[in-house]
Amino acid sequence: MIHQNILLLLLPSHHIAFGAQAKVSPFSPCQANHRLVAFFPHRLRSSLSRPIALASFDSEILQEGLNRVLPAGSVLPKKYSTSAKEITVREALNSALDEEMSADPKVFLMGEEVGEYQGAYKISKGLLEKYGPERVLDTPITEAGFAGIGVGAAYYGLRPIVEFMTFNFSMQAIDHIINSAAKSNYMSAGQISVPIVFRGPNGAAAGVGAQHSQCFGAWYAHVPGLKVLTPYSSEDARGLLKAAIRDPDPVVFLENELLYGESFPVSAEALDSSFCLPIGKAKIEREGKDVTITAFSKMVGYALQAADVLSTEGISAEVINLRSIRPLDRATINASVRKTNRLITVEEGFPQHGVGAEICMSVVEESFEYLDAPVERIAGADVPMPYAANLERMAVPQVDDIVRAAKRACYRAVPLAAAA
Amino acid sequence: MVLGRVFEDMCAQMYYRGKMFGFVHLYNGQEAVSTGFIKLLEARDSVVSTYCDHVHAVSKGVPPRAVMAELFGKATGCCRGQGGSMHMFSAQHNLLGGFTFIGEGIPVATGAAFSSKYCHEVLKESTPNRLDVTVAFFGDGTCNNGQFFECLNMAQLELWKLPIVFVVENNLWAIGMPHLRATSDPEIWKKGPAFGMPGVHVDGMDVLKVREVAIEAIARARRGEGPTLVECETYRFRGHSLADPDELRKPDEKASYAARDPITALRKYILDKELASAAELKIIEKKVDAVIEDTVEFADSSPLPPWSQLLENIFADPKGFGIGPDGKYRCEDPKFIEGTSLSLESCLPANHLHRCLIPSESSIRPNSIKVRHG
C-alpha cells in the first residue's frame, strides 16, 4: 500500500491508471491525474499509515480531494467503474471521425484549422496525416462560403462534415444551414437531399465573453429539415456523430467545449466501429420516481449531480439525457412525466423560446392531467454572457438551481428530515 | 432564346390573369447569356441560378411543361409545386436551383464544382480533362456581396482550382439600385484577376459573342485549369419582378437596349448570312408558340398537390439510418440498437445527384421511398 503511494508520486502523471483496464490516451489532458499527483504530497504523511484502495474511488480521502480540487460543477461522474474502459469526449469524436472517414471515401472534413493545426480543439487530431489534404480541408475564414460549398458537395452525394470553430460563427453561415441545407429536400420535392453534418462546440465555455458563449440549440431546433443532436458523454459523442455522418439529412451536431476533456466509461460495444445511436431517442441516465429532469449536453452532468443531492434529501429524480433536440423524444419525456408527475427542464441557453419551452408545451399537450406541479424551466440568464467569472457563474444554471427547482416542484421548499 | 422569351411573356400574361402568384422575376432581354452558356454544357454539367431561373431551367433541358406547372403550383411541376418560381430544382437535368438570397447560389455552385474535383481526384471516378463543369449565374448586385468574394477566393485556391464558371449577368440594376451607385469599382470583370483568375467582359446582348467566351471558359474549367469570371453586359426589358413598377429606369436607356434585343440581332445575323430564310425562322417561332400554348394547357389542367404532400420530403430519411435491404426503416429493427453492423451503401436513400455513385446504385429511384413524414 505504502509503496503504491510512492510509486504514484514517482510516475509521470499521465501514466496513472484508474483501475486495471482504464486507458489513458495521449489525447486526454489528464486533468484529474495531474490534480491527484498534486494532491498526494499534502496527504502523504497521514496516508502512509492508511492503506488506500486505488482500484475504486470509494476511498474517502481521494473523494474528498477530488471534491476540493475540481471546479464547481464538474461533470465527472462520482463513481468510476473499474472494468469499463474510459475515453474522453475528444477521443470519442476523433475516433468516430476517423472510423467514418475510413469506411466511406465520400466523407470529408472541412473547416478552419482542422488540418495542420490538428483541430482548434484537437478533435481532428491526426486526420490530416491519415487522409491527406484532399479529405481534411483547411478553409479560409469564410463560414458562409465553405458552409455553402459543403451543401453543394452534398447535393452530389458527398458527405461533408463542416466544422465551425464554435457555433457562434455559424451565424455567418446560417443562411446555408437553413436555406440551402435544411430546405433543399423539401423545395426540390425529394430530388436532392443534403447528407451534411455541421458540427462544433456550442454554448458557454469559461470566460469567453458574450459573442462566444451562446447556445444555438433552440435556434436550429426550430427549423424543419434539420436534425439537431446534443451529445453528453463519450458514448453519446461517438454514437451520435457516427449516426449523423451516415444520416442522409442535414444534421447540426452541438458539442460542448468543456466536455471535450471529460472522461466517461464506454462499453466494448460502443467502441465497435459499427456502433451508432439512433437519432431522436433520449436516454434515461438515472431512473427515479419523484421528478423528471430533462437536460442536454453539459447540463446532463449538472442534472446528475443535482439528482445525487436530491436523493440525500429523499427526492428521487429521473434524469433524461435528451441526446437529440430535433427530433425531440417526446415519447420518453412524456412517459417519464406520467410516471413522476413533475418536470424540470434544464438548458444552458436563453430562456425565451428555448428548448425547455418546447418540452413544457409537449408535456402540456400530451400529459396535462398527469402533472401535479407547474413545469419548472431552468435556463441561462436572459442576458448576453458577461465576462467576470462570478457573473458568468450566475448567468449559467448551477446544480443548486436545479436542486431548488426540484424541491419547488415537489412542494418541498424546506428539506424533510426523513423521507415520508 | 425565342422559347425563353415567349415563355416569359406567357408567364407575365398568366400572372396578370391570376394563375401565377407570389414573386415572379422575368428574364426578357437576357436570353443571350443563358443560351450562350447553357447550350454548350453537357447533361452532366450543372447550372446554379438565382430567383430569375425560368429560362435557365428551360435552357438546361427541363421540359417547359414542368416549369410552367411548377409556376402554377401544380403537382406535375418539376418540384411538384413545392419550390415555385424561385426554387427550380431538377436532379435529372443537374439544375441545382433556384436560390432567392443573392449570393446564396454561388457557394452551392462552388460546392458542386468541388464535388466534381473530389470525384476525380479522391474517388477516381471521372476521366482526366473531363471534369463536370458548373456554371453559376448571378447579377451585378451580387458582386458586392461577401459570399461572391469568398467563393472567388476559394475556387481559385492552390489546392482547389475548381471547374466552375462564374457568370455575372450585369443588367445594371438591382431592383431600383443602379450598379454605378452601389459599386465603388463598377467593372466587375476586374474582380477576377484580383483573385488570380481570368476576368472577361462580353457584350451580353450578342449571343454569338457570349458563346465564344463561354466555349473557352467551359473548356478551361473542364481541363482543370480552374474558374473564370465572365461579366456579361445585358439588360432586362421588364421590371425586377412583375410587381415592380419600374419607374426609376429612364426610357431612353430602355430604348437603347431594346434596339439591341438579342433575338432581333440574331435573326438579322442569320438572315444576313443566309443561314436560314425568313420563312424558316417563322416556322420556328410558330413551333415555339405552339409549345407554349401546350405548356399552359398542361399546367392549367394539372392537379393541385394532394394535402398529404405538405408533410412529405422534409427529410430524406426522417427516422435515421435509411432503409434496410428488406425495405423497412432500419431503426425499426429491434436488433438495430444493439449495434449490429450496418452496410453503408444501403444506408443511403439515393435521392441526390448522381455523380459519385456506382451505376447500380444510381438506378435506385427516390420513388421507392416516396412518402416521408418529417
Side-chain angles (χ1 to χ4, degrees):
Chain A
M1 323 284 187
I2 295 173
H3 60 258
Q4 264 177 329
N5 300 342
I6 294 173
L7 193 62
L8 278 161
L9 284 174
L10 293 174
L11 279 175
S13 58
H14 62 270
H15 286 307
I16 295 177
F18 293 118
Q21 292 167 37
K23 174 193 165 203
V24 179
S25 116
F27 293 118
S28 81
C30 302
Q31 294 164 344
N33 299 352
H34 281 129
R35 291 188 182 113
L36 270 175
V37 171
F39 159 65
F40 261 87
H42 302 293
R43 292 290 192 129
L44 189 55
R45 226 168 282 134
S46 59
S47 72
L48 280 173
S49 53
R50 250 196 290 186
I52 297 172
L54 289 166
S56 94
F57 287 109
D58 286 321
S59 151
E60 231 182 278
I61 292 179
L62 282 172
Q63 192 60 67
E64 243 182 296
L66 277 173
N67 286 344
R68 262 210 322 203
V69 165
L70 293 170
S74 158
V75 299
L76 281 178
K78 280 203 170 170
K79 303 272 184 261
Y80 292 94
S81 149
T82 51
S83 55
K85 190 161 166 172
E86 277 200 2
I87 59 173
T88 59
V89 171
R90 182 179 281 114
E91 290 165 348
L93 293 168
N94 184 274
S95 62
L97 287 171
D98 192 358
E99 287 164 19
E100 292 303 304
M101 286 183 74
S102 107
D104 185 352
K106 298 198 284 292
V107 177
F108 67 94
L109 177 62
M110 176 160 71
E112 293 157 13
E113 312 296 4
V114 295
E116 297 195 2
Y117 198 80
Q118 309 296 324
Y121 296 97
K122 307 294 181 252
I123 305 294
S124 53
K125 185 166 177 154
L127 296 179
L128 176 65
E129 285 82 58
K130 198 165 171 191
Y131 297 103
E134 287 153 350
R135 293 185 66 196
V136 178
L137 301 147
D138 278 320
T139 58
I141 308 173
T142 49
E143 275 79 9
F146 67 72
I149 288 180
V151 174
Y155 274 17
Y156 274 99
L158 296 183
R159 311 206 130 215
I161 304 167
V162 175
E163 173 171 316
F164 292 116
M165 202 181 278
T166 73
F167 258 92
N168 301 279
F169 308 147
S170 75
M171 285 197 278
Q172 300 213 325
I174 200 167
D175 172 29
H176 282 291
I177 300 175
I178 295 181
N179 275 326
S180 36
K183 296 182 185 174
S184 284
N185 197 52
Y186 192 78
M187 290 196 293
S188 67
Q191 293 178 73
I192 301 176
S193 75
V194 187
I196 192 170
V197 177
F198 297 103
R199 51 160 290 270
N202 175 58
V208 291
Q211 293 184 353
H212 280 76
S213 305
Q214 191 167 333
C215 174
F216 288 87
W219 283 37
Y220 290 120
H222 186 65
V223 179
L226 286 180
K227 295 177 179 170
V228 183
L229 302 178
T230 49
Y232 160 61
S233 62
S234 303
E235 179 193 326
D236 287 357
R238 251 182 80 78
L240 291 176
L241 184 56
K242 284 156 96 54
I245 295 171
R246 297 182 193 191
D247 195 278
D249 290 308
V251 179
V252 171
F253 194 82
L254 303 174
E255 305 159 3
N256 187 292
E257 194 211 323
L258 297 177
L259 285 177
Y260 283 152
E262 301 289 354
S263 294
F264 295 88
V266 280
S267 60
E269 181 202 44
L271 292 169
D272 180 58
S273 68
S274 59
F275 173 70
C276 270
L277 286 173
I279 291 179
K281 286 240 148 315
K283 179 181 180 195
I284 299 186
E285 293 280 346
R286 180 189 174 120
E287 297 222 355
K289 56 181 182 49
D290 293 328
V291 61
T292 298
I293 306 179
T294 65
F296 60 92
S297 191
K298 195 170 88 207
M299 293 291 130
V300 177
Y302 285 38
L304 288 169
Q305 285 182 56
D308 279 342
V309 172
L310 288 167
S311 71
T312 64
E313 311 208 10
I315 299 178
S316 150
E318 177 150 297
V319 177
I320 300 182
N321 172 4
L322 291 173
R323 281 184 170 171
S324 158
I325 53 176
R326 187 171 184 115
L328 202 52
D329 191 352
R330 297 167 204 273
T332 302
I333 298 169
N334 277 284
S336 174
V337 171
R338 287 179 184 214
K339 183 172 75 165
T340 63
N341 310 123
R342 292 160 214 276
L343 175 63
I344 317 255
T345 69
V346 186
E347 65 191 295
E348 198 184 20
F350 302 134
Q352 191 165 337
H353 308 299
V355 175
E358 175 63 29
I359 294 176
C360 172
M361 201 54 216
S362 168
V363 165
V364 162
E365 282 169 356
E366 294 178 38
S367 312
F368 183 65
E369 310 82 34
Y370 292 83
L371 282 172
D372 284 348
V375 175
E376 295 271 352
R377 163 176 65 177
I378 310 286
D382 200 14
V383 297
M385 185 66 69
Y387 169 68
N390 62 330
L391 293 181
E392 187 180 31
R393 217 166 13 253
M394 288 205 312
V396 176
Q398 302 296 335
V399 176
D400 286 343
D401 299 320
I402 306 175
V403 170
R404 271 184 285 122
K407 288 183 187 167
R408 279 198 303 269
C410 295
Y411 300 132
R412 292 191 206 165
V414 176
L416 286 182
Chain B
M1 289 201 291
V2 177
L3 180 61
R5 176 69 60 86
V6 180
F7 188 95
E8 297 291 74
D9 284 338
M10 186 57 75
C11 283
Q13 258 195 54
M14 291 296 117
Y15 189 84
Y16 293 127
R17 283 195 211 165
K19 303 247 166 106
M20 231 179 267
F21 40 90
F23 286 131
V24 178
H25 308 88
L26 298 181
Y27 200 70
N28 300 46
Q30 300 178 199
E31 296 86 356
V33 181
S34 163
T35 305
F37 273 93
I38 300 181
K39 287 303 176 191
L40 289 168
L41 295 176
E42 299 175 21
R44 65 210 179 94
D45 295 325
S46 0
V47 167
V48 178
S49 178
T50 57
Y51 45 82
C52 199
D53 52 359
H54 311 163
V55 180
H56 293 138
V58 170
S59 294
K60 192 66 174 62
V62 182
R65 278 184 162 197
V67 180
M68 190 64 83
E70 182 64 28
L71 293 170
F72 280 32
K74 299 292 176 84
T76 47
C78 58
C79 297
R80 297 208 268 155
Q82 311 254 107
S85 163
M86 301 183 284
H87 302 295
M88 297 278 170
F89 288 86
S90 171
Q92 192 190 351
H93 300 99
N94 286 312
L95 174 71
L96 307 183
F99 289 99
T100 48
F101 285 31
I102 59 155
E104 193 182 356
I106 306 176
V108 175
T110 313
F114 178 87
S115 78
S116 167
K117 195 104 207 282
Y118 191 92
C119 281
H120 172 52
E121 307 216 318
V122 178
L123 301 176
K124 316 279 186 219
E125 279 180 15
S126 64
T127 48
N129 297 331
R130 295 289 301 155
L131 292 171
D132 296 342
V133 175
T134 306
V135 182
F137 291 95
F138 47 94
D140 44 287
T142 309
C143 297
N144 296 323
N145 186 277
Q147 293 184 69
F148 167 66
F149 296 108
E150 292 185 11
C151 289
L152 283 188
N153 179 45
M154 281 196 275
Q156 184 64 19
L157 283 178
E158 189 63 42
L159 280 178
W160 294 27
K161 291 262 189 322
L162 300 179
I164 184 170
V165 185
F166 296 105
V167 180
V168 183
E169 293 167 328
N170 182 357
N171 58 17
L172 304 176
W173 289 84
I175 308 188
M177 187 64 162
H179 179 58
L180 295 171
R181 253 179 82 203
T183 318
S184 31
D185 184 351
E187 291 182 285
I188 300 173
W189 61 270
K190 278 197 205 160
K191 297 178 186 180
F195 288 93
M197 70 180 79
V200 187
H201 178 271
V202 69
D203 176 5
M205 303 305 271
D206 182 338
V207 66
L208 296 172
K209 292 204 183 114
V210 172
R211 192 184 154 87
E212 238 181 83
V213 169
I215 289 175
E216 210 189 306
I218 293 172
R220 246 181 68 85
R222 215 182 282 292
R223 285 193 302 264
E225 288 170 25
T228 315
L229 176 67
V230 182
E231 178 188 355
C232 303
E233 190 197 318
T234 179
Y235 201 77
R236 54 172 162 80
F237 295 154
R238 288 184 175 266
H240 162 74
S241 72
L242 287 173
D244 177 13
D246 195 18
E247 288 160 350
L248 290 174
R249 303 196 297 176
K250 299 212 165 48
D252 39 335
E253 183 191 81
K254 292 192 212 178
S256 79
Y257 278 98
R260 292 164 60 187
D261 185 331
I263 294 178
T264 329
L266 185 64
R267 177 184 289 121
K268 182 165 181 303
Y269 180 87
I270 291 176
L271 293 175
D272 284 350
K273 302 272 175 176
E274 290 173 13
L275 297 168
S277 69
E280 283 171 333
L281 293 181
K282 205 79 188 140
I283 292 175
I284 294 178
E285 279 166 21
K286 278 207 140 63
K287 245 205 288 195
V288 168
D289 283 337
V291 165
I292 298 294
E293 288 290 339
D294 164 69
T295 299
V296 174
E297 256 182 62
F298 173 79
D300 238 344
S301 58
S302 293
L304 286 169
W307 289 20
S308 58
Q309 203 179 291
L310 179 66
L311 296 177
E312 282 176 13
N313 291 318
I314 294 183
F315 287 131
D317 176 15
K319 301 200 179 183
F321 301 104
I323 309 283
D326 58 357
K328 302 215 189 91
Y329 278 116
R330 195 181 283 280
C331 62
E332 282 167 3
D333 173 3
K335 288 193 72 58
F336 175 71
I337 297 175
E338 294 169 24
T340 47
S341 145
L342 294 172
S343 144
L344 281 167
E345 286 80 37
S346 46
C347 268
L348 266 181
N351 55 334
H352 49 71
L353 300 158
H354 305 298
R355 172 177 281 146
C356 301
L357 293 181
I358 55 178
S360 58
E361 276 182 84
S362 58
S363 63
I364 304 168
R365 298 312 311 162
N367 293 325
S368 59
I369 331 172
K370 201 174 4 189
V371 178
R372 281 168 234 112
H373 295 275

